[in-house]
């Protein structure tokens, strides 16, 4: 597709459940970022991939959060044992290289009930 | 660590009014500065950027000047339109010691423009 695609657009899950959020970056973009945006706040960095490897995962809040990008394209953000505080919009962005303009997807709104 | 502070919102203006949204930053290196916009139902889009001191970024009638002495990057537009109603985010990318595009965002300012 022409832009960054995130699926699902909305996800409601019960506390304690496992969820996966998917990001399809723009074709050819080697850099991929995940951000989390809580209500009324700006996006907060979670993790950065360059190719297949996580070059910086310093923003992941705890070990319940994990992300992969096995073939250097699609990425999946995985959250185990979800908590109500995980409710937020999860944004994915991609760029050609590390310092090029980042293009954002529309996000996945995660609600933990 | 790096941080960005935006003026409190929401901001409500009449069409053709002058807009200023204040943004100040703290960074350890020599950051690039950005304004992103999020229109209703859409993803974040880059509005404008400036990569060094005294640079002026501009797009769609919006302008912002990188002021190193005041660590500011205020967004301005001379005459807003209803279609400018959106959430605006100031952000920085600190190039000092890093080699990638991690962004630090402000909290966002909601702008509503009435006809």
């Amino acid at each position: 597709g022409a832009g960054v695609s995130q699926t699902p657009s909305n996800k409601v899950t019960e506390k304690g459940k496992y969820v996966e959020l998917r990001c399809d970056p723009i074709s050819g973009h080697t850099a991929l970022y995940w951000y989390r945006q809580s209500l009324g706040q700006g996006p907060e960095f979670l993790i950065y991939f360059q190719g297949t490897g996580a070059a910086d995962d310093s923003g992941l809040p705890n070990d319940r959060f994990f992300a992969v990008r096995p073939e250097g394209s699609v990425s999946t953000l995985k959250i185990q044992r979800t908590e109500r505080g995980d409710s937020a919009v999860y944004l994915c962005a991609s760029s050609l290289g590390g310092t090029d303009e980042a293009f954002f997807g529309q996000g996945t709104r995660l609600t933990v009930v | 660590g790096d941080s960005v502070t935006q003026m409190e919102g929401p901001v409500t203006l009449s069409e053709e009014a002058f807009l200023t949204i204040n943004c100040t930053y703290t960074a350890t290196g020599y950051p690039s500065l950005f304004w992103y916009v999020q229109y209703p139902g859409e993803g974040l889009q880059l509005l404008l950027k400036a990569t060094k001191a005294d640079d002026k970024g501009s797009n769609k009638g919006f302008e912002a000047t990188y002021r190193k002495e005041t660590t500011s990057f205020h967004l301005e537009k001379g005459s807003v339109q209803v279609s400018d109603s959106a959430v605006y985010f100031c952000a920085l990318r600190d190039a000092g010691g890093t080699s990638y595009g991690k962004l630090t965002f402000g909290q966002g300012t909601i702008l509503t423009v009435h006809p």
Side-chain angles (χ1 to χ4, degrees), chain A residues 47-93:
Chain A
I47 187 169
Y48 159 65
F49 286 90
Q50 180 57 48
T52 60
D56 182 353
D57 64 357
S58 62
L60 295 177
N62 52 59
D63 61 6
R64 295 186 297 106
F65 289 74
F66 189 71
V68 295
R69 194 185 186 200
E71 297 177 356
S73 179
V74 171
S75 177
T76 305
L77 179 65
K78 309 180 181 197
I79 311 174
Q80 298 178 321
R81 305 183 303 281
T82 52
E83 300 177 357
R84 291 197 180 88
D86 298 335
S87 297
V89 176
Y90 289 81
L91 298 171
C92 178

Side-chain angles (χ1 to χ4, degrees), chain B residues 18-25 32-36 46-68 70-78 88-91:
Chain B
F18 183 84
L19 168 72
T20 299
I21 301 178
N22 289 340
C23 171
T24 57
Y25 68 90
S32 295
L33 301 174
F34 305 84
W35 278 99
Y36 279 83
L46 178 64
L47 179 60
L48 54 84
K49 68 178 181 182
T51 57
K52 61 184 187 297
D54 300 325
D55 268 3
K56 178 185 283 188
S58 61
N59 186 25
K60 299 182 179 180
F62 291 89
E63 292 183 339
T65 300
Y66 188 140
R67 301 288 188 200
K68 188 178 177 184
T70 54
T71 61
S72 65
F73 193 55
H74 305 321
L75 183 68
E76 296 183 336
K77 186 174 186 182
Y88 292 81
F89 293 92
C90 186

Side-chain angles (χ1 to χ4, degrees), chain B residues 10-31:
Chain B
V11 175
T12 303
L13 296 173
S14 297
E15 206 164 25
E16 299 183 3
F18 183 84
L19 168 72
T20 299
I21 301 178
N22 289 340
C23 171
T24 57
Y25 68 90
T26 303
T28 53
Y30 301 92

Side-chain angles (χ1 to χ4, degrees), chain A residues 3-6 90-94 103-107, chain B residues 38 42-44:
Chain A
V4 178
S5 175
Q6 292 187 247
Y90 289 81
L91 298 171
C92 178
S94 71
F103 294 84
F104 284 80
Q106 295 194 29
Chain B
Q38 188 170 33
E42 300 185 16
L44 276 169

Side-chain angles (χ1 to χ4, degrees), chain A residues 7-86:
Chain A
T7 55
S9 54
N10 280 283
K11 176 71 176 178
V12 180
T13 191
E14 293 181 345
K15 180 175 177 295
K17 298 290 188 183
Y18 168 84
V19 295
E20 290 189 350
L21 312 179
R22 176 187 168 106
C23 172
D24 264 292
I26 293 172
S27 178
H29 281 194
T30 61
L32 185 145
Y33 308 81
W34 284 98
Y35 291 83
R36 180 169 70 173
Q37 186 176 11
S38 300
L39 192 62
Q41 301 297 316
E44 292 180 311
F45 171 79
L46 294 177
I47 187 169
Y48 159 65
F49 286 90
Q50 180 57 48
T52 60
D56 182 353
D57 64 357
S58 62
L60 295 177
N62 52 59
D63 61 6
R64 295 186 297 106
F65 289 74
F66 189 71
V68 295
R69 194 185 186 200
E71 297 177 356
S73 179
V74 171
S75 177
T76 305
L77 179 65
K78 309 180 181 197
I79 311 174
Q80 298 178 321
R81 305 183 303 281
T82 52
E83 300 177 357
R84 291 197 180 88
D86 298 335

